[in-house]
Amino acid sequence: MGKDYYKILGVSKDASNEEIKKAFRKKAHEYHPDKPTGNEAKFKEINEAYQALGDPKKRAQYDQFGSNFDQARGGFSGFGGFSQGQNGNYEFDLNDLGDIFGGFGDMFGFGSSKGGSKTRQGNDIEVTMTIDFNEAVFGVEKEVSLNKTVTCEKCHGNGAEPGSKIDTCETCKGTGRIIRVQRTILGNVQTQAVCPDCRGEGKKYSQKCTQCGGSGVHKKIVNFKVKIPAGINNGETIRLSGQGEAGSHGGPAGDLYLQMRVNPSKVFKRDAYNLFSSVEIGMVEAALGTKIEVEGIDGRFTIKIPEGTQSGKEFIFKGKGVPKLNGHGRGDHIIKVVVKTPTNLNRKQRQLLESLGI
Ligand SMILES: [Zn+2]
Ligand SMILES: [Zn+2]
């Protein structure tokens, strides 16, 4: 059956809607976490019970199936505490509402303070890295040096000088939350926000960390190695998750984006995973056929030029191109043959050519 919501609100099973509402208000005020008699767990439970019983349709469902039914579907507990306060203001808890309304919290200018968290994600970093043509083809390991925000080693990110005295935060009286009232189209909306003084921690350290000044993070030059995968191309970006700037107060780090610049090659042009190069041969070699040595990305190799090869003819060498980023195979190497036509022939050469009659 799960929880007995009637018992939680202290009403009988045949209580009227009005009675349920009244009971909820009374208990919600009693256990509101900001009250001296507050109890967050109880407050949440009361909210949950009211979500189930305050709505006649849900109440009928609850009467029939109990609370387990709803929990399985993310039911009653999902809506968090949304109640009408004593002066007609709405009070609700952003932590619970956040999941339901998505960016609803932003409407009131608190950002997404999900879970009352004081943490903040670190910034992403974008840097440009230049590598050579062959390094891009075969992959390379590069040393990166970044001046970035890192978690303070001395205080491990909490901003307190190790060993210093810990006091309760005055601003929020140790709850880590403050109540703010905002005017909106719904009337005055009272919201809970993370205490800006202690950032939700509820405590203050008597002495700030001397290394980071209390921010929990500081700038530092960090050197590390990055493996650039074989097949990367000019203009492509590598994302290194978590290698960006450290988040403050233990928040997750941002990402590092490496924008790749690849120096051009003197020999090869590249299109995706295919390589292109050209080679010159003489008129006689083109006519009679020959074997020549060409430059490939893996080193020199010999190709056969058949007799009667025309200038501009392309020869395709399968699998001699750039290794594919996904690790499956390689592109091709396309070699274009350019036939050199002789110039400045002397009289004898001219006569000989003419005598061939071709
Ligand atoms: Zn520190
Ligand atoms: Zn505080």
Side-chain angles (χ1 to χ4, degrees):
M1 182 71 188
K3 292 175 182 171
D4 187 341
Y5 290 142
Y6 290 101
K7 211 168 158 188
I8 290 166
L9 290 181
V11 293
S12 68
K13 282 204 177 354
D14 50 15
S16 71
N17 216 28
E18 201 47 48
E19 281 171 321
I20 287 169
K21 208 183 243 175
K22 237 168 112 181
F24 165 69
R25 277 189 207 167
K26 196 167 156 263
K27 288 210 179 266
H29 280 291
E30 188 180 343
Y31 292 113
H32 194 286
D34 296 320
K35 297 276 163 80
T37 51
N39 178 327
E40 193 168 345
K42 264 224 135 105
F43 182 70
K44 280 199 168 142
E45 199 177 49
I46 292 157
N47 271 318
E48 187 185 326
Y50 183 63
Q51 295 314 317
L53 303 184
D55 178 299
K57 225 164 117 187
K58 286 185 178 174
R59 183 179 173 185
Q61 230 169 47
Y62 170 75
D63 287 341
Q64 199 176 351
F65 302 107
S67 66
N68 292 334
F69 170 74
D70 313 291
Q71 276 156 6
R73 306 193 335 181
F76 300 144
S77 53
F79 205 75
F82 196 149
S83 62
Q84 203 155 20
Q86 54 199 155
N87 45 12
N89 290 348
Y90 290 96
E91 294 176 15
F92 48 80
D93 189 322
L94 281 181
N95 298 325
D96 293 331
L97 284 175
D99 294 337
I100 306 284
F101 289 120
F104 193 48
D106 291 339
M107 193 172 121
F108 303 108
F110 298 123
S112 53
S113 58
K114 215 172 174 182
S117 164
K118 66 196 160 62
T119 60
R120 181 167 294 169
Q121 172 149 18
N123 292 327
D124 294 336
I125 304 175
E126 203 182 304
V127 291
T128 303
M129 178 182 264
T130 304
I131 57 172
D132 286 337
F133 191 87
N134 278 39
E135 291 177 331
V137 171
F138 294 113
V140 66
E141 198 174 75
K142 283 277 174 187
E143 179 103 9
V144 179
S145 185
L146 284 178
N147 186 11
K148 67 171 185 176
T149 302
V150 296
T151 301
C152 174
E153 300 87 355
K154 192 169 186 187
C155 63
H156 301 289
N158 74 4
E161 181 70 9
S164 71
K165 207 170 135 263
I166 299 164
D167 295 321
T168 303
C169 172
E170 297 258 316
T171 311
C172 63
K173 308 272 180 276
T175 60
R177 308 267 185 106
I178 53 156
I179 301 288
R180 295 194 215 185
V181 178
Q182 299 235 326
R183 276 173 222 277
T184 75
I185 44 165
L186 299 172
N188 284 345
V189 173
Q190 208 171 318
T191 49
Q192 286 194 39
V194 173
C195 172
D197 267 8
C198 62
R199 295 185 183 88
E201 232 174 323
K203 38 192 179 177
K204 279 251 169 176
Y205 301 95
S206 59
Q207 207 189 335
K208 284 179 178 167
C209 169
T210 49
Q211 185 167 308
C212 63
S215 65
V217 290
H218 64 114
K219 283 271 183 189
K220 191 184 173 187
I221 293 177
V222 181
N223 298 304
F224 57 98
K225 285 189 171 135
V226 178
K227 257 188 124 107
I228 309 296
I232 198 91
N233 207 348
N234 189 43
E236 289 178 338
T237 303
I238 297 172
R239 176 171 166 260
L240 297 163
S241 134
Q243 298 273 23
E245 304 216 281
S248 61
H249 296 268
D255 298 331
L256 171 61
Y257 292 88
L258 290 179
Q259 268 271 353
M260 301 308 297
R261 292 269 168 274
V262 179
N263 289 327
S265 159
K266 288 194 182 101
V267 180
F268 308 106
K269 292 255 176 298
R270 179 175 166 180
D271 181 21
Y273 295 115
N274 291 335
L275 291 173
F276 296 84
S277 65
S278 60
V279 63
E280 285 190 336
I281 57 171
M283 191 181 71
V284 179
E285 293 172 308
L288 304 180
T290 185
K291 278 182 179 169
I292 55 166
E293 209 177 59
V294 295
E295 197 165 334
I297 196 78
D298 303 298
R300 299 183 75 81
F301 65 104
T302 303
I303 65 170
K304 192 172 169 279
I305 306 289
E307 60 175 74
T309 294
Q310 303 294 322
S311 189
K313 165 100 183 151
E314 287 183 335
F315 296 91
I316 298 169
F317 299 90
K318 290 256 170 222
K320 292 227 171 223
V322 180
K324 293 182 179 169
L325 268 178
N326 61 17
H328 296 297
R330 293 173 65 166
D332 304 330
H333 182 181
I334 295 109
I335 299 177
K336 187 175 169 179
V337 170
V338 178
V339 178
K340 256 190 314 190
T341 307
T343 51
N344 301 322
L345 297 174
N346 60 30
R347 180 189 275 264
K348 192 167 178 218
Q349 287 168 325
R350 186 176 271 277
Q351 282 174 350
L352 272 168
L353 273 181
E354 278 170 354
S355 72
L356 292 173
I358 50 174

